[in-house]
Amino acid sequence: DGGITQSPKYLFRKEGQNVTLSCEQNLNHDAMYWYRQDPGQGLRLIYYSQIVNDFQKGDIAEGYSVSREKKESFPLTVTSAQKNPTAFYLCASSPGRDRGSKAFFGQGTRLTVV
Amino acid sequence: QKEVEQNSGPLSVPEGAIASLNCTYSDRGSQSFFWYRQYSGKSPELIMFIYSNGDKEDGRFTAQLNKASQYVSLLIRDSQPSDSATYLCAVNRGQKLVFGQGTRLTINP
């Protein structure tokens, strides 16, 4: 089955810890995105990548880091510098840099600071 | 001014009626427009996309785009209780995909 897989589904982090959220896709998509969603809110863009070994900051990149070493993988690290990390994190991918490319989402990771 | 704006609702519509969801955007250079449906606790699901001015129909859904007014809408005909969800408008801005805050829709039986 082709799709986008995020893991884990639920993640608990102690204050001061870094955690890494996994996102893998087998759709052969070039572009990948990370979004954050807070309760009752829309999606805010954290980072995006259009090709391997290249990525750009979105609107709320502070306290986050990413890598894109493989086309299939775009992991997100939530660092201790992110002061309010509790949120629903969504990874998406789309076929390419074409402005009409449609993006599809993984099932999300719900991160809670304990 | 937000890049993509939606009325957060909630919007309540009787079963069988037409639900109308609206979205405005600020960047006149935007070329592609998308509607996603998100059920509570789930990830967004793409339901419609539109690139040209006018209407695009797919089953009970119609997307409408007016680039001059920077306005995109989604109509849901014969609304069903299963249509109750949050609807997110998204717009391509360069290589970014920017979302509105979503409109919560409730269909009342």
Side-chain angles (χ1 to χ4, degrees):
Chain A
D1 279 340
I4 304 166
T5 302
Q6 290 186 243
S7 62
K9 188 173 182 180
Y10 298 97
L11 185 58
F12 298 89
R13 189 194 96 167
K14 293 182 180 180
E15 288 194 17
Q17 280 184 336
N18 292 354
V19 291
T20 297
L21 283 58
S22 171
C23 179
E24 303 276 335
Q25 54 98 0
N26 60 4
L27 301 169
N28 199 33
H29 284 176
D30 284 321
M32 297 187 75
Y33 308 83
W34 274 107
Y35 291 90
R36 168 181 172 142
Q37 187 175 37
D38 293 285
Q41 303 296 312
L43 278 61
R44 292 186 289 168
L45 183 63
I46 305 172
Y47 269 98
Y48 61 105
S49 168
Q50 298 291 334
I51 55 172
V52 175
N53 292 322
D54 188 46
F55 49 83
Q56 285 77 42
K57 292 182 179 180
D59 300 316
I60 56 164
E62 185 175 352
Y64 299 98
S65 66
V66 294
S67 63
R68 187 85 187 275
E69 297 176 1
K70 298 187 299 182
K71 187 176 185 177
E72 306 79 36
S73 179
F74 191 40
L76 174 73
T77 296
V78 183
T79 75
S80 57
Q82 171 51 239
K83 297 306 178 188
N84 186 21
T86 295
F88 188 37
Y89 290 87
L90 289 156
C91 177
S93 71
S94 70
R97 285 166 277 182
D98 181 346
R99 291 179 176 181
S101 285
K102 298 175 282 292
F104 300 92
F105 285 85
Q107 74 272 34
T109 293
R110 201 167 294 277
L111 173 63
T112 303
V113 172
V114 295
Chain B
Q1 181 186 10
K2 291 183 180 178
E3 293 186 70
V4 181
E5 294 206 53
Q6 297 180 252
N7 187 328
S8 61
L11 176 64
S12 185
V13 172
E15 183 176 356
I18 295 175
S20 177
L21 302 155
N22 304 316
C23 173
T24 58
Y25 60 95
S26 61
D27 183 3
R28 285 194 172 274
S30 298
Q31 298 288 328
S32 308
F33 308 86
F34 307 90
W35 283 99
Y36 287 80
R37 177 177 62 199
Q38 186 178 27
Y39 292 114
S40 181
K42 302 297 185 183
S43 61
E45 171 194 11
L46 180 66
I47 55 171
M48 288 291 287
F49 57 93
I50 187 166
Y51 306 141
S52 303
N53 274 331
D55 295 359
K56 179 181 178 182
E57 186 174 321
D58 183 2
R60 295 187 297 112
F61 298 101
T62 299
Q64 299 175 316
L65 175 61
N66 183 327
K67 289 187 177 180
S69 299
Q70 295 174 247
Y71 178 94
V72 57
S73 64
L74 178 70
L75 302 178
I76 306 174
R77 290 182 301 281
D78 188 24
S79 296
Q80 302 296 310
S82 59
D83 295 326
S84 297
T86 295
Y87 289 81
L88 298 160
C89 173
V91 175
N92 270 121
R93 181 169 67 83
Q95 295 178 350
K96 295 183 181 182
L97 184 61
V98 181
F99 284 80
Q101 70 269 37
T103 299
R104 186 157 56 93
L105 173 66
T106 300
I107 307 300
N108 300 308

